[in-house]
Amino acid sequence: MKGRMISPGKAEGEAIVSPEPIGFYGGIDIKTGIVIEKGHPLEGKSVKDKILVFPCGKGSTVGSYVIYGIKKNGVAPAGIINKETETIVATGAILAGIPCIDQIDIDKIKNGDAIVLDADNSEVKIKKS
Amino acid sequence: MHLTKEEEKTLNGENGEVMERLFRLLVRLGEIYGADKMIPVGSVQVAGVSYKSIGDPGTEFLEDMASKDAKVKVLTYLNPAGMDLENWKEYGFPADFAKNQLKIMNAFKKMGIVVTSTCTPYLAGNLPRFREHIAWSESSAVSFSNSVIGARTNREGGPSALAAAICGVTPNYGLHLWEKRQPTVKVDVDFDLNYNSDFGALGYFVGKQVKNKIPYFTGIKSANTDQLKALGAAMAASGAVALYHVEGLTPEADLVEKKGLETISVGKKEIKETYGKLNTGKEPDIVILGCPHASLREISALADRLDGKRLKKPVWICTSRMVKEVAERMGYNEIITKAGGAIVADTCMVVSPIEKMGYKTTGVNSGKAANYLPGFCKQEVCFANIDDLVEGQL
């Protein structure tokens, strides 16, 4: 699938998919990378080393700093795929150096899919298992 | 987006890792919003300063940038901090909070940012000119500089403003472009606005109605800069208004296209209802004025009302360090302190941890403060004009 490069780089990993937006500030624990928002579809799951797939960001602009923080703490996702990346996630992914692509039909990606994310070429591949 | 040769080099990392990251952020934001190029900025104002707002993630980010020797290229000011940076102990700000706040200030200072914290930089030595491109963050400062001064800025987030300061440029889109500064709704005011809180109520009502549109006001006969500051701040808080025009008063009002606009009418009824709506509390534990930060004229107005009096409960007026300096010289500080009040600098009620300082109900004359205090600070609010607020505490 072709999309739009938000933050450069390449990453491979297992998809963790949220059908709902993610608010990083208050939504993800900065020390562990575990989703802590009550009632969120990914509550209790870790985003560490995964390809994190969600429609778009939400909530406080401090979310950008949280994305940067989880990267520094070694618990960040390997890559991010969005339907539409707004400025909070774009800012965080670029500052943290996490490869990120948007304008992808994320309904085609299932939890556990092996993903090759090539942000430099604005491309997402799902590896056949 | 067109980039110069020098900008291409920055993007390829030839000017270091920090510059590459921050410039990449500006380029990406520019591409998302359809900018054609980068433009130099005359000054920057960075938000995300209070430890209460940015927490440990923000603090670590700023300390990391500072440790990598990031330096600003243009005059850069800061938004209010979470406490008075000099007298925090005296006013009862918690010590662990203070320690973290001072770490943040040190990181900013290391980057060459002027560590005076205010939402009214234009009253404290960072004054843009008409049509100057700037990159400011704080929503009321953005509104004032765009509307009352006619400078040009989008509302920047903390990191994008910092990036503009360090790179010296911002992407050319949105309110930097003349065609995007045209009014999109007309607001007819049929009410004699007297108190600054009247302007706050008007702003709160209009902001709720128009959201992120650009209002063109008619029927406001006169207003000083304090009142326009109150109007813009409330509209930016209850809505997302970053620019407004006022017939006969603001510099671009005569120049913009006003034909065929949808019209909203505001009269006595709407203003009265707004006062009612913003009042959620009964008796204030504390009155806090100066949102946005008070001008010297507003401080002198408070001193006049407190001269020789004794307050039952505290009255604070928040301002910038610079304005407080003059207020001290004029004896206003002494008058206010003797009455049992305080001129608190560098911070404000919205970004300080007042809910942890034992206050439950706050009296304000600001539409913006009334908008944010219930959520950010878990306060009940008494919204009234300065005379009623002060009268109630004597």
Side-chain angles (χ1 to χ4, degrees):
Chain A
M1 290 184 278
K2 277 280 186 188
R4 175 174 69 161
M5 186 258 276
I6 296 291
S7 173
K10 290 187 177 67
E12 279 191 43
E14 185 190 323
I16 177 168
V17 184
S18 167
E20 283 178 27
I22 295 180
F24 285 81
Y25 187 59
I28 292 197
D29 185 85
I30 195 162
K31 298 254 157 52
T32 61
I34 290 170
V35 178
I36 50 173
E37 185 185 328
K38 289 265 171 288
H40 195 274
L42 299 186
E43 188 184 348
K45 296 207 170 87
S46 167
V47 300
K48 182 177 184 245
D49 300 331
K50 303 275 171 53
I51 304 291
L52 182 57
V53 184
F54 57 103
C56 59
K58 65 169 184 182
S60 164
T61 52
V62 180
S64 306
Y65 291 136
V66 174
I67 297 175
Y68 184 84
I70 55 177
K71 176 73 181 184
K72 262 195 80 189
N73 292 334
V75 293
I80 293 174
I81 300 174
N82 294 139
K83 201 162 161 220
E84 187 73 45
T85 307
E86 38 53 74
T87 55
I88 300 170
V89 173
T91 300
I94 292 163
L95 293 178
I98 299 172
C100 176
I101 291 187
D102 79 340
Q103 296 178 359
I104 294 287
D105 182 2
I106 61 166
D107 294 341
K108 294 205 171 116
I109 305 174
K110 302 278 174 291
N111 260 321
D113 280 353
I115 303 288
V116 181
L117 191 168
D118 181 354
D120 299 337
N121 292 306
S122 310
E123 202 173 24
V124 172
K125 277 185 196 148
I126 305 172
K127 279 205 277 194
K128 296 264 155 46
S129 54
Chain B
M1 179 149 96
H2 173 79
L3 296 179
T4 64
K5 285 224 168 73
E6 197 49 43
E7 288 169 345
E8 292 280 4
K9 278 187 194 167
T10 303
L11 199 58
N12 293 328
E14 289 179 40
N15 292 316
E17 184 213 329
V18 170
M19 282 288 283
E20 182 198 334
R21 287 260 167 102
L22 295 177
F23 192 65
R24 186 174 297 283
L25 172 63
L26 295 178
V27 170
R28 187 55 56 198
L29 294 175
E31 282 173 354
I32 292 173
Y33 293 112
D36 58 341
K37 61 178 179 183
M38 292 291 172
I39 43 172
V41 290
S43 74
V44 171
Q45 191 243 5
V46 174
V49 176
S50 171
Y51 178 70
K52 179 176 167 177
S53 322
I54 68 169
D56 293 329
T59 309
E60 282 165 26
F61 171 77
L62 294 169
E63 288 189 320
D64 195 35
M65 286 288 127
S67 75
K68 288 174 180 157
D69 285 330
K71 291 272 186 279
V72 298
K73 287 202 174 64
V74 296
L75 180 69
T76 303
Y77 269 42
L78 290 176
N79 219 25
M83 60 181 198
D84 187 300
L85 294 169
E86 286 172 25
N87 307 99
W88 55 270
K89 260 188 209 147
E90 191 182 318
Y91 302 134
F93 288 94
D96 54 336
F97 184 91
K99 191 175 143 229
N100 285 311
Q101 186 64 65
L102 293 172
K103 269 164 70 177
I104 295 170
M105 303 316 287
N106 285 337
F108 280 129
K109 192 173 173 183
K110 193 153 181 273
M111 288 187 262
I113 293 171
V114 183
V115 283
T116 184
S117 282
T118 180
C119 48
T120 58
Y122 47 88
L123 296 178
N126 184 354
L127 179 64
R129 64 159 168 79
F130 186 55
R131 288 181 178 157
E132 185 169 29
H133 295 286
I134 57 177
W136 285 20
S137 297
E138 198 278 323
S139 67
S140 82
V142 165
S143 172
F144 192 95
S145 58
N146 270 324
S147 313
V148 183
I149 299 168
R152 298 185 176 188
T153 181
N154 290 311
R155 189 188 164 189
E156 301 293 341
S160 66
L162 192 63
I166 287 166
C167 300
V169 295
T170 194
N172 188 35
Y173 72 93
L175 294 177
H176 291 287
L177 307 170
W178 175 239
E179 62 269 24
K180 295 284 168 66
R181 300 178 64 85
Q182 305 301 312
T184 52
V185 61
K186 189 160 165 277
V187 181
D188 282 337
V189 180
D190 181 20
F191 181 73
D192 281 330
L193 303 155
N194 292 313
Y195 285 104
N196 294 5
S197 57
D198 295 343
F199 284 84
L202 171 65
Y204 182 90
F205 177 81
V206 173
K208 276 268 181 233
Q209 299 288 311
V210 309
K211 302 198 170 64
N212 62 354
K213 287 185 180 160
I214 301 174
Y216 180 89
F217 285 93
T218 60
I220 299 180
K221 292 173 202 89
S222 79
N224 65 27
T225 44
D226 297 335
Q227 294 164 333
L228 293 174
K229 163 165 83 70
L231 174 68
M235 281 194 289
S238 70
V241 175
L243 165 65
Y244 64 92
H245 305 287
V246 184
E247 186 180 53
L249 298 184
T250 62
E252 288 179 341
D254 289 348
L255 310 171
V256 292
E257 179 57 57
K258 302 164 277 269
K259 276 187 206 133
L261 294 173
E262 166 207 356
T263 301
I264 295 173
S265 298
V266 188
K268 196 177 173 183
K269 179 173 161 279
E270 286 80 12
I271 301 289
K272 223 183 137 197
E273 280 172 7
T274 304
Y275 268 90
K277 195 178 160 191
L278 292 177
N279 268 289
T280 56
K282 288 194 186 85
E283 276 288 304
D285 308 321
I286 184 168
V287 169
I288 310 185
L289 309 172
C291 170
H293 272 171
S295 67
L296 193 64
R297 179 167 44 201
E298 291 172 299
I299 295 175
S300 117
L302 177 64
D304 282 350
R305 286 162 173 82
L306 295 184
D307 200 1
K309 307 265 172 59
R310 185 70 210 167
L311 289 161
K312 283 186 289 197
K313 285 177 186 159
V315 174
W316 288 4
I317 187 161
C318 300
T319 191
S320 60
R321 182 65 54 189
M322 275 84 155
V323 168
K324 182 171 178 180
E325 188 73 34
V326 189
E328 277 173 357
R329 187 175 290 181
M330 291 303 292
Y332 304 148
N333 193 39
E334 202 186 334
I335 293 170
I336 293 169
T337 311
K338 266 192 181 157
I343 303 178
V344 177
D346 311 313
T347 186
C348 80
M349 63 293 246
V350 177
V351 298
S352 64
I354 54 171
E355 70 280 10
K356 290 183 184 149
M357 297 162 75
Y359 300 115
K360 291 200 169 62
T361 305
T362 304
V364 297
N365 69 341
S366 156
K368 172 175 177 155
N371 183 78
Y372 284 131
L373 284 176
F376 285 5
C377 304
K378 302 181 179 66
Q379 296 292 299
E380 306 264 302
V381 168
C382 297
F383 176 75
N385 67 56
I386 184 174
D387 282 327
D388 291 349
L389 285 172
V390 171
E391 192 64 31
Q393 304 304 319
L394 292 173

